[in-house]
C-alpha cells in the first residue's frame, strides 16, 4: 500500500471506489439491465437504515435505505444478533450436504417456520424462484399421486410475479414476464385478470363489491372449465409486488381458496415478498384468513443476509406424495438447507417474534401515508397507496429511473423505481425521521423529474 497515514488513506479511497465502478462496467451484469448499462453507485458499507455509497466521481455519501435491499433487510444492516448468529455458525461449520445428513440450524428453522405458518412440512431452496419451482413440482406430483396425471397446468393472475426461472416465469404476467422472448421455453398457463384494487380504509382493505363479484364469477368459470387440466392456483396474496405493486381485494384470495378446494386444486400462495410482517400481517394471506396448501417464503427470511427460501405444505399434500409410487419430492439443490443461511434466518425470525414489529410496521404505514400525501397533488401522479410498510406512488408515465434515483439521493434517500412506480419498503427499524426523509425524497424525485 502507498500510504501509512490516515489522511493519505482517506484521499486514496475515492480513487479506488471510482475504479470499482469502472471495473464493473462491461464485466458484470446487473438485474434486468444491459451489460455496462446500470451501476452508477458503489456500496462500501451499510449500517442500520443507512447505506454508505460512492458515486463515479469518487464522492461518498450516506443514504437512508428506502428499499430494504428488495424487501429483505427488515431488521436493517449489521444487526448485532444476526451478525452473531452468522459468526457463531461459521465457527462450527458453514455447509454440509443435506443428502443423508441433517443439522441443528435447518431443524430449528423448519420448526420455527412450521409454528409460524401452521404448515407442517418444509423444503429449503436457495432462492425464491427455486422455491416456486419446487411448489409447482409438488402440486404436479400431488395430482399424479391422486391418479390425475392430466392435471399439470396452473392458473395464475395477470400482473403476477413469481421469479425468473422458466417454470416460475410461466406463471408470471405473460406480457411483463417477457414470455414472448422465450416461446420455446415457456409452457402456456392460464390467467385470470388482476383482481380488483383494494384500498386501506380504517385498517380494512375495501374494494368495489360488484367488481369483486364479477372477478369471482370469472374465477369460478375458468376453474370449472379447466379443472381436469389444472393442478393448482398460484397467487401473491393481496399484494402483487414486482408485477405492479397492486393491492387487491382479500375477498378474491378467499374465493381462490374456496374454488380451489371445491375443484380438487391446490392453492399456492407466494409470500416471498409479503411474508414476515411487510403488509401489516405476519403473512399477507391472513388479510383473508386463508390457509394455503403450499406457501413459498424467501426475501426477508434471512433478514437480508443470505439467499434462502422455503416451500411449506400441509400434511395432506405431503402425505399424498409420500404414499405415491415416486415417494420423494423430486428436487435437491447442492446447497439445500445451508447452515449459515438457516442460522441467520432462525435469528431473524426470533428477532421478529420478540420485536414489536406490528407497532413498527403500523408506525411506518402511518408515517408513509403522511409523508407521501403531498405527491397526490403532483401532475404526473396517478395514485398514492400505502399498505403496511409499503408505500407506492404510481405515475401516469414511465419513471426516468436514473434521474429519479439521483433526485432522491440528493435528498439522502436510496430508491429503485421501476416502470411507472416509485415505491418504498423501508426496514422495520426505520425511525419516524427516516420515514419522513424517505417520503420527502420520493416526493422530490416525482416533482423534480416528472413534475
Ligand atoms: C422476488 C420474488 C420471487 C423470486 O425470488 P428470488 O429470490 O429473486 O428468486 C418470487 N416471488 C415473489 C412474489 C417475489 O417477490
Amino acid at each position: 500500500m502507498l500510504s501509512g497515514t490516515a489522511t493519505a488513506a482517506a484521499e486514496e479511497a475515492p480513487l479506488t471506489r471510482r475504479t470499482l465502478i469502472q471495473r464493473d462496467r462491461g464485466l458484470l451484469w446487473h438485474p434486468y439491465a444491459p451489460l455496462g448499462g446500470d451501476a452508477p453507485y458503489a456500496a462500501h458499507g451499510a449500517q442500520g437504515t443507512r447505506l454508505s455509497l460512492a458515486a463515479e466521481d469518487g464522492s461518498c455519501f450516506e443514504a437512508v435505505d428506502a428499499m430494504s435491499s428488495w424487501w429483505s433487510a427488515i431488521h436493517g444492516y449489521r444487526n448485532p444478533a444476526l451478525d452473531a448468529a452468522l459468526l457463531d455458525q461459521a465457527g462450527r461449520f458453514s455447509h454440509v450436504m443435506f443428502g443423508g445428513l441433517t443439522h441443528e440450524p435447518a431443524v430449528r428453522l423448519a420448526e420455527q417456520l412450521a409454528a409460524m405458518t401452521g404448515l407442517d412440512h418444509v423444503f429449503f431452496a436457495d432462492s425464491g424462484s427455486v422455491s416456486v419451482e419446487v411448489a409447482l413440482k409438488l402440486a404436479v406430483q400431488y395430482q399424479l399421486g391422486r391418479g390425475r396425471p392430466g392435471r399439470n397446468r396452473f392458473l395464475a393472475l395477470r400482473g403476477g410475479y413469481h421469479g425468473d426461472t422458466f417454470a416460475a416465469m410461466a406463471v408470471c404476467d405473460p406480457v411483463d414476464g417477457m414470455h414472448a422472448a422465450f416461446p420455446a421455453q415457456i409452457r402456456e398457463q392460464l390467467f385470470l385478470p388482476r383482481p380488483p384494487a383494494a384500498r386501506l380504509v380504517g385498517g380494512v382493505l375495501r374494494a368495489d363489491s360488484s367488481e369483486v363479484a364479477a372477478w369471482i364469477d370469472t374465477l369460478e368459470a375458468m376453474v370449472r372449465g379447466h379443472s381436469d387440466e389444472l393442478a393448482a392456483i398460484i397467487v401473491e396474496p393481496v399484494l402483487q409486488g414486482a408485477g405492479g405493486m397492486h393491492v387487491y381485494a382479500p375477498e378474491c384470495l378467499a374465493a381462490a381458496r374456496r374454488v380451489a378446494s371445491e375443484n380438487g386444486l391446490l392453492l399456492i400462495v407466494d409470500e416471498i415478498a409479503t411474508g414476515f410482517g411487510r403488509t401489516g400481517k405476519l403473512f399477507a394471506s391472513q388479510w383473508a384468513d386463508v390457509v394455503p396448501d403450499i406457501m413459498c417464503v424467501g426475501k426477508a427470511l434471512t433478514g437480508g443476509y443470505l439467499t434462502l427460501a422455503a416451500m411449506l405444505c400441509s400434511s395432506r399434500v405431503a402425505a399424498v406424495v409420500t404414499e405415491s409410487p415416486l415417494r420423494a419430492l423430486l428436487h435437491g439443490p447442492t446447497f439445500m438447507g445451508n447452515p449459515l443461511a438457516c442460522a441467520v434466518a432462525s435469528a431473524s425470525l426470533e428477532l421478529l417474534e420478540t420485536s414489536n414489529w406490528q407497532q413498527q410496521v403500523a408506525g411506518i404505514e402511518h408515517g408513509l401515508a403522511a409523508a407521501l400525501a403531498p405527491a397526490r397533488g403532483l401532475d404526473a401522479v396517478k395514485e398514492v397507496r400505502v399498505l403496511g410498510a409499503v408505500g407506492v406512488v404510481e405515475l401516469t408515465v414511465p419513471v426516468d429511473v436514473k434521474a429519479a434515483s439521483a433526485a432522491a439521493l440528493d435528498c439522502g434517500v436510496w430508491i429503485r423505481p421501476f416502470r411507472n412506480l416509485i415505491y418504498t419498503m423501508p426496514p422495520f427499524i426505520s425511525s419516524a425521521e427516516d420515514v419522513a426523509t424517505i417520503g420527502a425524497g420520493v416526493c422530490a424525485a416525482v416533482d423534480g423529474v416528472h413534475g
Side-chain angles (χ1 to χ4, degrees), residues 28-286:
L28 281 165
W29 263 292
H30 286 260
Y32 314 105
L35 196 57
D38 183 47
Y41 307 101
H44 56 91
Q47 172 85 49
T49 59
R50 298 291 196 279
L51 303 177
S52 302
L53 303 175
E56 193 173 355
D57 66 4
S59 59
C60 298
F61 52 95
E62 277 210 333
V64 176
D65 175 28
M67 304 308 290
S68 298
S69 287
W70 276 342
W71 315 79
S72 64
I74 53 175
H75 307 298
Y77 302 91
R78 296 230 55 193
N79 179 281
L82 302 196
D83 282 7
L86 182 62
L87 291 173
D88 179 67
Q89 185 57 40
R92 294 164 202 266
F93 58 98
S94 294
H95 186 69
V96 292
M97 64 193 289
F98 212 52
L101 294 174
T102 192
H103 47 73
E104 220 246 328
V107 173
R108 192 175 60 220
L109 178 59
E111 286 172 348
Q112 285 170 295
L113 285 171
M116 278 176 122
T117 61
L119 297 169
D120 293 328
H121 308 283
V122 183
F123 187 104
F124 287 123
D126 24 27
S127 74
S129 302
V130 173
S131 76
V132 169
E133 297 278 330
V134 174
L136 300 175
K137 239 182 211 183
L138 177 62
V140 170
Q141 282 196 239
Y142 167 85
Q143 298 294 358
L144 199 60
R146 295 193 59 202
R148 297 161 167 173
R151 285 188 169 224
N152 53 31
R153 295 180 77 192
F154 300 99
L155 179 58
L157 304 181
R158 291 300 307 262
Y161 178 76
H162 298 288
D164 287 353
T165 52
F166 284 124
M169 275 178 79
V171 289
C172 291
D173 184 271
V175 177
D176 294 339
M178 297 165 289
H179 289 198
F182 305 98
Q185 281 74 30
I186 302 278
R187 169 97 198 266
E188 207 177 303
Q189 308 294 358
L190 294 158
F191 290 90
L192 288 164
R194 261 193 208 280
R199 295 295 167 253
L200 208 49
V201 184
V204 180
L205 279 172
R206 294 194 192 284
D208 181 301
S209 56
S210 60
E211 282 179 24
V212 168
W215 189 88
I216 293 172
D217 286 346
T218 309
L219 162 75
E220 287 185 332
M222 181 76 103
V223 171
R224 286 212 196 90
H226 295 273
S227 62
D228 58 337
E229 54 173 337
L230 283 171
I233 303 175
I234 179 165
V235 298
E236 291 156 278
V238 175
L239 172 63
Q240 294 184 302
M245 306 299 291
H246 174 71
V247 181
Y248 68 81
E251 296 92 322
C252 296
L253 178 59
R257 168 70 286 178
R258 174 179 58 77
V259 173
S261 299
E262 287 170 359
N263 292 274
L265 277 66
L266 298 181
L267 177 67
I268 303 171
V269 299
D270 178 348
E271 294 260 13
I272 291 167
T274 51
F276 309 114
R278 181 55 68 180
T279 69
K281 308 279 187 192
L282 188 57
F283 295 101
S285 310
Q286 292 168 357

Side-chain angles (χ1 to χ4, degrees), residues 141-142 144-147 319-330:
Q141 282 196 239
Y142 167 85
L144 199 60
R146 295 193 59 202
V320 169
V321 172
T322 307
E323 286 155 21
S324 75
L326 289 169
R327 297 191 60 234
L329 173 52
L330 300 180

